[in-house]
Amino acid sequence: GESVGLHLPTLSVQEGDNSIINCAYSNSASDYFIWYKQESGKGPQFIIDIRSNMDKRQGQRVTVLLNKTVKHLSLQIAATQPGDSAVYFCAVGNNRKLIWGLGTSLAVNP
Amino acid sequence: ETGVTQTPRHLVMGMTNKKSLKCEQHLGHNAMYWYKQSAKKPLELMFVYSLEERVENNSVPSRFSPECPNSSHLFLHLHTLQPEDSALYLCASSQVDIRDTQYFGPGTRLTVL
């Protein structure tokens, strides 16, 4: 069946450094890709998305990169701040199906 | 906040109890969702409602019974649950369907004894 996986369950970075969270997916027909952030005690919160006709999209301090050739997705956070500490999920969709990854827990050290 | 509220935030119930989870969205969305979030598992989509009609039921046991009386409210009725049903139950809404950005509530932490 379809799967979405993350390379690292946890990531620890120094405040001010850049963070990169990776995600791999199995279905080459996937056409939309979403990153969510979940802070403790809250539900997932949308960060950024990208469609399959793009390979890069930028938001405020975040960039999503999509490599359809190797079926890989990454989220880059610039100048990571303590408030970025959370679990980050990628979700990969095609048609009316959305498959979620397990999540990477990002810890920001002061 | 996100515009999606859930009550109660915490619930402890015995296996013979009947309880309901409530979700309300103030975003004017037409689609609502129930998810189950368990440790070390991907988010599991349970039910999808679009314009108050159930459009998806992902093989969820019948001890979970959803209800969507209008586009702003979603309930999850629980009866004779099992301890393995203990999890965080998340409600979400989106504009039209699952391809749209979903806005999540804070979840109900359910413990089944």
Side-chain angles (χ1 to χ4, degrees), chain A residues 81-101:
Chain A
Q81 301 170 1
D84 295 325
S85 295
V87 178
Y88 289 81
F89 295 94
C90 66
V92 176
N94 64 83
N95 199 11
R96 290 185 177 273
K97 197 171 182 181
L98 193 63
I99 308 295
W100 292 75

Side-chain angles (χ1 to χ4, degrees), chain A residues 31-32 36 38 41-44 46 51 89 95-96 98 100-102, chain B residues 9 35 37 40-43 88 90 97-99 101-102 104-106:
Chain A
D31 61 358
Y32 61 103
Y36 281 87
Q38 186 173 20
K42 296 184 178 181
F46 171 83
R51 304 288 159 148
F89 295 94
N95 199 11
R96 290 185 177 273
L98 193 63
W100 292 75
L102 280 172
Chain B
R9 294 293 308 276
Y35 284 90
Q37 187 173 40
K40 300 184 181 178
K41 287 187 177 180
L43 211 56
L88 182 69
L90 291 161
D97 63 27
I98 205 163
R99 298 179 66 100
T101 300
Q102 293 180 52
F104 285 82

Side-chain angles (χ1 to χ4, degrees), chain B residues 8-76:
Chain B
R9 294 293 308 276
H10 300 272
L11 179 62
V12 179
M13 60 187 289
M15 289 191 284
T16 58
N17 292 158
K18 287 185 180 181
K19 297 286 183 184
S20 296
L21 310 185
K22 179 183 176 182
C23 175
E24 184 173 358
Q25 59 97 358
H26 309 273
L27 301 168
H29 288 165
N30 292 313
M32 296 187 77
Y33 312 82
W34 279 118
Y35 284 90
K36 176 182 179 183
Q37 187 173 40
S38 306
K40 300 184 181 178
K41 287 187 177 180
L43 211 56
E44 299 174 49
L45 179 62
M46 301 174 72
F47 301 104
V48 181
Y49 276 82
S50 178
L51 296 170
E52 300 149 45
E53 287 192 21
R54 191 190 312 178
V55 296
E56 192 161 338
N57 174 347
N58 283 328
S59 304
V60 178
S62 60
R63 57 186 184 268
F64 294 91
S65 174
E67 179 190 0
C68 188
N70 55 62
S71 60
S72 299
H73 293 87
L74 186 65
F75 295 89
L76 189 62

Side-chain angles (χ1 to χ4, degrees), chain A residues 3 5 9 14 20-21 36 39 42 54 60 73 80 94 101 109:
Chain A
S3 66
Q14 290 297 123
I20 300 176
I21 301 171
Y36 281 87
E39 297 174 77
K42 296 184 178 181
M54 302 173 69
Q60 187 178 11
L73 180 70
T80 313
N94 64 83
N109 305 313

